[in-house]
Amino acid sequence: MLPRTRRRRIYEGKAKVMFEGPEPGTLIQYFKDDATAFNNQKRGTISGKGVLNNRISEYIMIKLGEIGVPTHFMKRLNMREQLVRQVEIIPLEVVARNVAAGSLSKRFGLAEGTVLPRSVIEFYYKSDALGDPMVADEHITAFGWATPAEIDEMMSLTLRINDYLTGLFLGIGLRLVDFKLEFGRVIDENDNLRIILADEISPDNCRLWDVKTNEKLDKDRFRQDLGQVGEAYQEVARRLGIMPEASAEPLKIEQE
Ligand code: ADP
Ligand code: UDP
């Protein structure tokens, strides 16, 4: 494997850097400690976040693969990097919600914590310049971001992922309030376009509340200046049974 400095940097985002992978059709996803919120207006660093999100996302993607959800994850390479399958990203953020919080609470005047009558799936257009506006199916198809069949596929995958992850997190005393997914297109062995799950699943893009205390163990600690942000991410990793060696220690993560 080439050292990172010699690999071609394809894209640098807010939380990750994507490098050219060792084989065509692969990428290396590097997890940074940088955090942003409110469409880039708030910026900071959460020490050790990249290491934790790399592990948490690996764990979840592997579990989803085991229940038959196709994902981009191939293998973890080191503390901050994983090898993934390159996709053509569908420019949508797919949000699933079980409990009112964040922008949903604001939009409909719902008290944070209100349990929704059923899970709700929403689509947002991925555009920092426009502040990721919410979009309807009509916009998605009219502007050619995805076909009706792709919308159906993203909806059904998201519902499955939501059901599975709700149970997985409940098993470790966490309520999955909401989360964001990204999907992409790949060409399968029969030359057909297929949709797979891409990006990451971590406390950066989920809301996770302790079932007993309602304590927030996710990026809202950063957004709302609640403190102990890295510790919250570490607690999620500890409960998932990953990085158990860090369980009793305050956040102290080796940097590469
Ligand atoms: P942002 O672009 O929102 O700042 P990140 O810092 O997380 O986000 O950057 C990661 C970027 O890589 C995102 O734009 C995401 O859509 C994209 N991406 C994630 N997985 C893949 C993949 N398998 N292939 C191609 N692009 C991907
Ligand atoms: N989310 C995300 N990236 C975004 C916007 C939202 O990962 O650009 C996640 C967020 O962490 C939460 C869910 O999607 O788990 C719903 O977020 P909401 O629309 O409430 O956004 P907020 O306005 O609170 O960022």
Side-chain angles (χ1 to χ4, degrees):
M1 172 79 46
L2 291 170
R4 192 161 56 245
T5 47
R6 300 204 24 219
R7 280 195 242 116
R8 199 157 67 87
R9 183 184 292 242
I10 308 245
Y11 173 83
E12 174 148 10
K14 300 182 288 286
K16 299 189 286 297
V17 188
M18 309 303 276
F19 293 97
E20 193 173 57
E23 310 287 341
T26 65
L27 290 177
I28 291 165
Q29 184 165 245
Y30 175 94
F31 289 77
K32 304 193 281 186
D33 285 347
D34 298 350
T36 62
F38 312 121
N39 198 26
N40 257 324
Q41 285 169 41
K42 183 180 169 86
R43 289 160 192 264
T45 303
I46 303 166
S47 166
K49 174 175 82 85
V51 176
L52 291 162
N53 283 354
N54 187 23
R55 295 297 293 261
I56 293 170
S57 198
E58 171 195 19
Y59 180 88
I60 292 175
M61 292 276 178
I62 289 175
K63 289 279 184 198
L64 290 174
E66 284 168 3
I67 62 155
V69 172
T71 85
H72 73 159
F73 180 83
M74 296 170 75
K75 70 173 195 176
R76 189 168 60 81
L77 299 171
N78 56 48
M79 295 270 279
R80 286 186 184 270
E81 293 177 320
Q82 50 183 244
L83 184 66
V84 299
R85 194 160 167 196
Q86 183 163 26
V87 303
E88 180 195 18
I89 284 284
I90 295 174
L92 297 170
E93 301 200 336
V94 185
V95 170
R97 303 179 182 271
N98 302 305
V99 176
S103 69
L104 184 87
S105 288
K106 223 180 273 162
R107 201 177 316 123
F108 298 112
L110 284 171
E112 188 179 80
T114 308
V115 176
L116 301 179
R118 66 174 176 82
S119 301
V120 171
I121 307 219
E122 300 168 336
F123 292 94
Y124 294 82
Y125 178 51
K126 244 173 90 67
S127 163
D128 285 343
L130 300 174
D132 296 344
M134 189 159 86
V135 292
D137 289 15
E138 281 288 289
H139 304 118
I140 298 173
T141 51
F143 295 124
W145 298 322
T147 64
E150 287 174 331
I151 296 175
D152 286 351
E153 180 68 4
M154 287 188 283
M155 289 281 280
S156 76
L157 284 171
T158 302
L159 287 171
R160 267 179 81 199
I161 293 167
N162 185 42
D163 282 349
Y164 177 77
L165 291 186
T166 295
L168 182 138
F169 282 117
L170 203 54
I172 55 168
L174 292 174
R175 194 135 73 114
L176 180 60
V177 170
D178 57 32
F179 60 96
K180 182 267 295 181
L181 302 174
E182 290 184 28
F183 294 92
R185 301 181 185 96
V186 290
I187 296 177
D188 72 11
E189 51 292 345
N190 304 318
D191 272 359
N192 293 320
L193 270 187
R194 211 161 59 97
I195 282 191
I196 68 174
L197 180 65
D199 206 55
E200 69 177 304
I201 301 184
S202 74
D204 262 11
N205 37 53
C206 298
R207 285 194 169 94
L208 297 165
W209 297 352
D210 183 88
V211 166
K212 290 205 185 105
T213 65
N214 276 333
E215 187 189 7
K216 294 177 177 176
L217 294 171
D218 56 57
K219 200 164 103 176
D220 271 352
R221 298 201 74 83
F222 170 76
R223 293 190 187 96
Q224 299 169 7
D225 293 319
L226 300 176
Q228 310 269 85
V229 189
E231 287 78 358
Y233 283 53
Q234 193 168 27
E235 175 64 10
V236 173
R238 190 191 66 76
R239 290 196 197 187
L240 286 171
I242 46 189
M243 304 184 84
E245 71 280 3
S247 57
E249 294 287 319
L251 191 70
K252 193 174 136 213
I253 285 153
E254 236 177 273
Q255 303 290 320
E256 277 162 82

